[in-house]
Amino acid sequence: SVSYGLATVANNISLKADDEIVVLEAQFPSHVYVWQKLATKYKAKIVTVRAPDLKAHRGQEWNKRILNSITAKTAVVAVPHVHWADGTLFDLEAIRKKATENEALLIIDGTQSVGALPFSVEKIQPDALVCAGYKWLMGAYGLGVAYYSEKFNEGKPIEENWINRFNSQ
């Protein structure tokens, strides 16, 4: 379900050749493949932020690396709130600030944290937040939840289901 929500996001992003999409090393595949496809379509570049080999202060160092990877060429920062494999917590407020300074979209996979950790859409202001419902949101497997900012209000769906349309009934 996260891949579905992210595909909707990617379907509504246009890039320029040489734009950059920031992702993390060993990020969950659903939050990588969609960006690889988008990068290929526009001849953009994937920037993979490597995890530090440290045990102590690993999160601090990885967060620094993410912030250093966001530049004027960055169009999309696609990160989780918490890394799915090792539990690293990412500083979304600092990432949002740096993304905004560089006019980049912030796309968050909240599957590993939303419902278990505090998360404020108002505070973080993600351009999109997508979560699988079966973990901390206590939903059924295959159920997903997404928040899309106003930047996606006039977006194109990835399918033409009648229920996707306002006042379709």
Side-chain angles (χ1 to χ4, degrees):
S1 58
V2 169
S3 61
Y4 213 83
L6 294 174
T8 301
V9 172
N11 192 49
N12 288 283
I13 295 175
S14 295
L15 300 176
K16 298 183 299 276
D18 297 324
D19 275 351
E20 295 178 350
I21 301 169
V22 173
V23 298
L24 305 182
E25 177 182 34
Q27 192 160 298
F28 197 78
S30 295
H31 206 170
V32 174
Y33 296 145
V34 68
W35 306 119
Q36 290 172 338
K37 184 177 178 180
L38 187 67
T40 299
K41 177 180 177 180
Y42 288 100
K43 295 181 175 57
K45 179 181 175 188
I46 296 286
V47 173
T48 303
V49 182
R50 297 190 56 83
D53 291 330
L54 308 168
K55 292 204 190 268
H57 308 290
R58 176 183 170 95
Q60 283 180 310
E61 180 59 31
W62 207 351
N63 276 287
K64 279 187 214 170
R65 290 179 183 191
I66 295 166
L67 294 174
N68 290 336
S69 72
I70 302 169
T71 69
K73 287 187 167 191
T74 305
V76 176
V77 179
V79 295
H81 184 197
V82 172
H83 195 275
W84 74 284
D86 67 16
T88 300
L89 180 63
F90 298 103
D91 184 351
L92 295 179
E93 287 184 61
I95 294 168
R96 167 77 278 171
K97 183 175 186 283
K98 185 81 182 272
T100 299
E101 290 168 1
N102 288 278
E103 299 179 11
L105 296 171
L106 176 58
I107 312 302
I108 300 169
D109 177 353
T111 300
Q112 305 303 324
S113 59
V114 173
L117 296 176
F119 187 95
S120 170
V121 167
E122 193 172 55
K123 190 179 212 178
I124 304 300
Q125 298 179 5
D127 295 295
L129 169 67
V130 183
C131 305
Y134 70 93
K135 290 209 173 193
W136 307 114
L137 295 176
M138 309 299 182
Y141 191 79
L143 176 69
V145 179
Y147 162 83
Y148 302 107
S149 73
E150 291 180 4
K151 292 177 182 169
F152 293 100
N153 278 358
E154 301 302 319
K156 305 172 299 244
I158 56 175
E159 65 180 13
E160 299 302 328
N161 186 311
W162 72 272
I163 208 162
N164 292 345
R165 310 258 177 199
F166 182 67
N167 286 329
S168 63
Q169 63 278 20

